Amino acid sequence: ASSSSSSPVVICGAGVIGASIAYHLALRGVHCLVVDRCPPATGASGKAGGFLAKDWCDTSALKHLARKSFDLHQELAAIFGEEYGYRRLDTLSLASAAPELQRRAKKAKLTSLPEWLDGYASASSVMGSIDTTAQVHPELFTKTLLNAAIDNGSSFRQGEVKNIVRSSTGAITGVVVDDDVIPTNTLVIAMGPWSALAAEWLPIPKVTTIKAHSIVLVPPQPVTPHAIFVDYQMANHERIDPEIYPRPDGTVYVCGFTETVSLPARALDVLPSEGTGQRLSTIAGELSSTLRSSELRSTQACFLPLSPDDLPIIGAVPDVQGAYIATGHSCWGILNAPVTGLAMAELIVDGKASTVDLSPFDPKRFTVS
């Protein structure tokens, strides 16, 4: 079902999933046109944490996808070097609380925490090691894959996909980008939460979303490579789960505070909700005096794509020849992008994915009303 040499595979979405599909198709000599209304990695692919875990999905249908993709990340890092901050790191959890609640609890003696985490913690444990957890800088990773695809003959166009063109038998024959009809017999929907817009043209499952907030801090001195997952009790006794990821470039990424709100028209229109950056910065400062004296470089937000059963949607669109979809990766999009791209390239070129079994993620598992 591969695209003919004269017409490209059109990939809608220049996030990490679209970039990975383009990269793996380009390696097979297939020219792709990646189309997005925004510059590459404007959405979650540019604002995610970039945390990778080998075995955290072992109890779900994601197990083989995640394990294979974790290994592929290492293979890609060997190819591209240190272009996007790939490294293995240790991962810890800790429990903490707002200052108002700390007086009622005795501070535990915790030996496993790095020195820069010198704030209040009531418990801690090891969640992962350099054997099982790693990280990338998601924006740089996405752009590295897309640029490699472009170097191999693919192209990127900033524009809006307004419609698709189908033959009398219903097969894909073209895509309308802005006011141009691009001939193609292969279309891939990889627009993250905006994949929901394609339901206007194709029988795809319902894609919903959740908004996540994050900040990027610049500490006065670098901190050790430890990913930190926090169980934090706020003064009103509400619990949140901030995550802290020091990066090789010297910055520290902190995320937390999710909410269900409507999706803006474009990723460029996504703004952090008022006060979230300051709240995250305050909590980070309570956990670490180094983070408290850090510069707040950016406050940001993104929308994660969710499927009806919380598993990714990866495969051929039912009953529409030449149409494919890859979305719904939730918080594991950066982790599972390499294997999704490779498997989709196999599916498009060979008619079947051989790297991993895609049947748990097949779009046809949903009945579209």
Side-chain angles (χ1 to χ4, degrees):
S2 68
S3 180
S4 66
S5 57
S6 59
S7 65
V9 169
V10 175
I11 300 172
C12 303
V16 72
I17 301 298
S20 181
I21 296 169
Y23 170 75
H24 286 286
L25 280 171
L27 291 182
R28 285 159 176 73
V30 178
H31 169 59
C32 300
L33 171 63
V34 180
V35 182
D36 200 303
R37 284 185 293 184
C38 301
T42 298
S45 299
K47 298 177 177 66
F51 178 75
L52 315 174
K54 181 172 187 171
D55 54 4
W56 288 22
C57 300
D58 275 5
T59 58
S60 82
L62 284 172
K63 174 180 178 178
H64 300 295
L65 202 72
R67 281 181 167 265
K68 178 65 179 175
S69 214
F70 186 85
D71 293 341
L72 283 174
H73 267 288
Q74 182 165 331
E75 293 176 22
L76 288 167
I79 294 168
F80 293 109
E82 298 177 359
E83 284 185 38
Y84 50 80
Y86 174 88
R87 68 177 175 185
R88 298 295 188 101
L89 76 176
D90 293 313
T91 302
L92 307 171
S93 72
L94 69 85
S96 186
E100 298 91 327
L101 303 179
Q102 292 174 16
R103 290 188 293 273
R104 305 171 201 170
K106 186 180 176 183
K107 179 166 180 175
K109 283 196 173 182
L110 306 166
T111 55
S112 61
L113 296 179
E115 285 186 11
W116 56 273
L117 279 171
D118 54 1
Y120 172 80
S122 59
S124 69
S125 65
V126 175
M127 297 180 74
S129 70
I130 57 171
D131 296 322
T132 58
T133 52
Q135 71 180 145
V136 296
H137 187 298
E139 179 183 357
L140 298 179
F141 177 62
T142 300
K143 291 179 177 178
T144 296
L145 290 183
L146 185 57
N147 288 337
I150 291 169
D151 289 344
N152 279 303
S154 290
S155 54
F156 169 72
R157 172 170 172 172
Q158 190 168 334
E160 182 178 353
V161 176
K162 294 188 172 178
N163 210 337
I164 62 173
V165 185
R166 294 166 66 172
S167 70
S168 56
T169 61
I172 299 292
T173 59
V175 177
V176 181
V177 180
D178 299 325
D179 296 320
D180 302 325
V181 178
I182 311 292
T184 184
N185 54 24
T186 309
L187 168 70
V188 182
I189 303 297
M191 303 188 293
W194 286 274
S195 298
L197 299 173
E200 189 178 329
W201 320 311
L202 297 167
I204 60 170
K206 185 176 178 62
V207 179
T208 57
T209 188
I210 190 167
K211 186 179 184 181
H213 294 87
S214 58
I215 58 173
V216 178
L217 299 171
V218 185
Q221 62 270 343
V223 298
T224 57
H226 290 83
I228 311 295
F229 286 72
V230 186
D231 174 13
Y232 184 87
Q233 190 172 17
M234 297 194 294
N236 63 1
H237 297 279
E238 181 186 341
R239 300 191 98 89
I240 59 167
D241 304 297
E243 299 166 17
I244 304 172
Y245 305 126
R247 288 175 166 166
D249 65 1
T251 63
V252 178
Y253 174 97
V254 184
C255 63
F257 295 115
T258 58
E259 58 183 340
T260 303
V261 292
S262 58
L263 189 67
R266 305 174 306 158
L268 282 169
D269 300 328
V270 176
L271 297 172
S273 300
E274 191 175 347
T276 51
Q278 189 55 55
R279 288 158 76 197
L280 280 173
S281 185
T282 298
I283 292 170
E286 289 170 7
L287 297 169
S288 164
S289 59
T290 300
L291 298 185
R292 186 162 60 249
S293 56
S294 297
E295 170 204 340
L296 177 59
R297 174 173 289 180
S298 57
T299 300
Q300 56 197 20
C302 63
F303 284 80
L304 304 178
L306 309 174
S307 78
D309 62 1
D310 296 327
L311 291 175
I313 305 164
I314 310 169
V317 175
D319 306 318
V320 183
Q321 185 182 327
Y324 300 84
I325 184 169
T327 187
H329 290 74
S330 183
C331 61
W332 293 117
I334 307 298
L335 168 65
N336 287 320
V339 75
T340 299
L342 176 55
M344 284 291 287
E346 292 169 346
L347 180 62
I348 290 167
V349 174
D350 305 326
K352 186 180 190 302
S354 54
T355 295
V356 69
D357 178 14
L358 286 181
S359 59
F361 318 112
D362 194 320
K364 71 170 183 270
R365 73 188 186 271
F366 300 109
T367 303
V368 180
S369 55

